[in-house]
Amino acid sequence: MNTPDKLLTIAVTGLNAIDSPGPGIAVIRGLREGLNRPVRIIGLSYEILEPGIYMHEVVDKTYQIPYPAAGTTALLNRLQYIHGQENLQLIIPNFDAELPQFIRLAPTLKAMGIASFLPTAAQFAARDKINLFQFGQQHQLLVPRDKSIHSVAELQSCEESFGYPLVVKGKFYDAVVTYTLEQAQKAFYKISAKWGLPIIVQEFITGTEINIAVLGDGNGKMISAIPMRKLYITDKGKAWSGITLQDDTLIQLARDFIAATQWKGGCELEIMRTEKNELYIMEINPRFPAWIYLTAAAGQNQPAALARMALGEDQPVYDDYEAGKIFVRYAWDHITDINEFHQISGKGEL
Amino acid sequence: MYLRKNIATSEAGFIFNPATGDSFSANPIAAEILHLLKQGNTVAQIKESLLATYEVEPLRLDRDWDDFFNQLKEANLLES
C-alpha cells in the first residue's frame, strides 16, 4: 500500500486532446487534484502529435508505446522498459482498442508491481456493441434491438424487422442514422471500409441523449455515477459542452448495471430517455469518457477514486454531487519547439 | 399547480430543471410568480397580489396566467 506523502507514479494513455478527444488529459487533471499527494504522470502515446505529450505542466514525461496491432509482447516489452526508467505504480489505459491487451497483461503488470483497475475480459466482451442486445436481455436492461450483418444484402431484413430510421454502426466507432435503403447502403460501405465487418444495424430510439460516467468496485458496488446531458456537440457528435443532471432514475439504472455486471473500473453509459421516460442503454463504453473531469468538478472525482481502489486504499461510496455543473471545452494553440518534436519522433520519449 | 420540487429559479428569472438539464429565462413578472410559488403561496394568493400590484383586469390576468402555466407544463416544470 502507498503512503499518502510518497510520490506516486501513474502512467496514462489517451493524450490526444483533439476535437474528438481521448480521456487522458481529463483523467490526469482528476488525479492531480484528487489524490492529495505528489503525483508524477507518465504519458503513454501512440501518435507523435498527441497534444498531451507537449503539455509538460500536465504530463511529466511521455513514452511512445506500440499500437495494439503490434501484439501483447511488444506492449509488454515497452512497458518493462518504461517501468525500469520510471518505477510505475499504476497504469490507467483509456482507449477501447487497447483495453483487451491491458486486461490480458494485468496479472503480469501486477507481478511487476504495477496496479491497474480494469474490467475482466468477459465483462469487456459482454458490453461490446455486437453483444449488447443479448447483454440487455440477460440483465433485464432496456437495449434497442439490433442485428450484426456481414453483407449489404442483409439490410433488407433489418428494414423489415425494425423499419426506418435505422442506425448503421461500425464495430468500434461511427454511427449514421439512415432513412432510406440507399442511405443505409451508403453508410454500410463507408463504415465497413473504415472499421471492417460486421456492421451493427440498430433500431432507432427517439429521445433525449444522456451520458453517465460510472465507477464500479468489481464486486457489484457502485462507487460513483454522474449523469450528464450534452449542451453542444461537434459534427462528430462529441460533447463540447455538457451539464450534470440530478435524476434518481438515472443513478438507479447505473447502480443496477454495476450490480448486474460486477463491473470493475470506469465506464460510460450512453442512455436515451424516451418521451415515456424509458431509459434505453444505447452503448456502454468500457473506460472513462473524455468529459470525466466534470465528475471531479461535481464532487465525485472518479479518476482519483479509481486510483485509490487500484492501490488497495479505502474508497467510500460517493452519495452526493452538484447538479447544474457545466463544462465548456475549448481549443488552444499550444506552442512547442521543433527539438521536442524531434525527440518524441526520434527517441520515442519526451 | 405546483412547480416540481427540484426546479431551481433565480431572482433574475433563470429557471433550471436539474433532471433534464433544460434552462429557461423568465421575464420579471414571471420570475416574481415563480418566486411566490416556490414560497408556497396559493394561486389565489398570487393572483390577488398581482391584481394589487399591477394595473390589470382580472379577466386579462386569468388569460395570461393560463398561457404562462401552459408554457410551464410544456417545459415539464410542473408536478404531474
Side-chain angles (χ1 to χ4, degrees):
Chain A
M1 191 174 290
N2 288 269
T3 49
D5 53 344
K6 208 174 150 194
L7 178 72
L8 190 57
T9 305
I10 306 174
V12 179
T13 69
L15 307 182
N16 54 328
I18 56 170
D19 61 337
S20 179
I25 299 301
V27 168
I28 295 166
R29 199 173 167 196
L31 295 172
R32 287 201 183 278
E33 284 183 17
L35 286 173
N36 302 319
R37 74 195 85 170
V39 173
R40 177 168 164 80
I41 297 294
I42 303 302
L44 304 176
S45 67
Y46 293 97
E47 301 273 353
I48 54 173
L49 280 176
E50 290 179 27
I53 299 170
Y54 305 95
M55 296 164 68
H56 302 307
E57 69 287 5
V58 177
V59 180
D60 294 293
K61 176 147 189 187
T62 301
Y63 293 83
Q64 280 206 276
I65 55 171
Y67 281 107
T72 307
T73 309
L75 176 62
L76 179 61
N77 289 342
R78 185 62 174 154
L79 292 176
Q80 280 170 332
Y81 167 77
I82 297 167
H83 186 48
Q85 302 295 309
E86 302 291 346
N87 188 26
L88 304 176
Q89 275 112 55
L90 171 63
I91 287 188
I92 305 179
N94 290 301
F95 285 123
D96 298 24
E98 70 185 2
L99 278 173
Q101 286 187 335
F102 277 100
I103 291 169
R104 216 171 298 140
L105 285 177
T108 312
L109 295 175
K110 193 178 175 189
M112 289 161 59
I114 308 172
S116 57
F117 205 72
L118 299 169
T120 64
Q123 288 169 342
F124 182 84
R127 43 54 54 195
D128 192 287
K129 282 182 203 179
I130 294 168
N131 304 321
L132 187 63
F133 183 65
Q134 192 189 343
F135 171 87
Q137 287 198 311
Q138 198 180 333
H139 298 296
Q140 286 84 50
L141 298 166
L142 266 181
V143 170
R145 292 173 299 161
D146 65 20
K147 270 187 184 175
S148 292
I149 63 170
H150 290 80
S151 79
V152 78
E154 292 176 84
L155 281 169
Q156 196 84 43
S157 67
C158 300
E159 182 186 72
E160 285 157 15
S161 304
F162 309 143
Y164 285 104
L166 284 175
V167 188
V168 180
K169 300 171 106 171
K171 63 177 172 180
F172 293 124
Y173 296 102
D174 279 346
V176 178
V177 180
T178 63
Y179 296 87
T180 63
L181 183 60
E182 289 71 28
Q183 287 179 1
Q185 287 168 336
K186 195 177 160 193
F188 179 97
Y189 288 125
K190 193 178 166 193
I191 295 173
S192 62
K194 198 169 174 187
W195 301 111
L197 294 170
I199 289 289
I200 298 111
V201 182
Q202 196 177 57
E203 73 173 319
F204 183 77
I205 305 289
T206 314
T208 305
E209 189 187 333
I210 295 161
N211 298 58
I212 315 177
V214 193
L215 181 61
D217 75 345
N219 295 311
K221 191 162 68 180
M222 187 179 81
I223 300 299
S224 164
I226 302 284
M228 180 276 294
R229 186 182 140 193
K230 295 173 187 176
L231 293 177
Y232 187 89
I233 57 169
T234 66
D235 55 358
K236 289 180 180 167
K238 303 295 172 188
W240 199 255
S241 175
I243 185 166
T244 55
L245 305 180
Q246 185 86 59
D247 184 330
D248 291 345
T249 58
L250 295 169
I251 303 297
Q252 189 56 47
L253 175 66
R255 197 174 284 123
D256 291 345
F257 166 77
I258 293 291
T261 59
Q262 313 267 301
W263 189 266
K264 186 177 179 187
C267 65
E268 180 191 31
L269 304 181
E270 293 186 9
I271 306 296
M272 193 67 82
R273 179 158 56 194
T274 68
E275 272 193 15
K276 292 179 192 166
N277 265 327
E278 298 159 314
L279 298 174
Y280 277 87
I281 297 181
M282 308 302 288
E283 217 164 291
I284 300 162
N285 296 317
R287 36 82 198 153
F288 285 138
W291 55 273
I292 194 66
Y293 182 72
L294 187 65
T295 66
Q300 299 189 2
N301 189 328
Q302 291 191 9
L306 179 141
R308 279 191 288 271
M309 288 195 290
L311 297 167
E313 297 173 13
D314 222 24
Q315 176 55 54
V317 173
Y318 285 116
D319 57 6
D320 198 19
Y321 64 90
E322 206 177 325
K325 272 283 174 203
I326 294 178
F327 78 88
V328 183
R329 200 164 276 165
Y330 64 95
W332 172 266
D333 294 348
H334 185 79
I335 304 301
T336 188
D337 191 85
I338 189 73
N339 291 334
E340 298 218 323
F341 182 76
H342 279 171
Q343 202 168 323
I344 188 73
S345 54
K347 291 185 178 172
E349 301 180 16
L350 181 62
Chain B
M1 278 182 284
Y2 294 103
L3 270 185
R4 286 182 186 271
K5 279 198 185 75
N6 56 352
I7 301 294
T9 57
S10 75
E11 280 180 21
F14 184 78
I15 309 167
F16 172 59
N17 183 348
T20 62
D22 291 328
S23 56
F24 307 88
S25 288
N27 66 27
I29 295 179
E32 184 183 339
I33 295 170
L34 292 171
H35 178 66
L36 292 168
L37 273 174
K38 286 208 87 169
Q39 283 187 324
N41 292 283
T42 64
V43 172
Q45 285 170 326
I46 298 170
K47 282 186 175 177
E48 199 177 317
S49 160
L50 292 171
L51 286 169
T53 313
Y54 301 100
E55 280 183 33
V56 58
E57 293 298 318
L59 204 63
R60 173 70 193 268
L61 175 64
D62 283 342
R63 211 165 50 222
D64 289 351
W65 181 275
D66 290 345
D67 182 44
F68 177 51
F69 270 75
N70 278 334
Q71 288 184 47
L72 291 178
K73 198 176 168 189
E74 274 176 27
N76 201 22
L77 296 172
L78 298 180
E79 291 285 5
S80 48

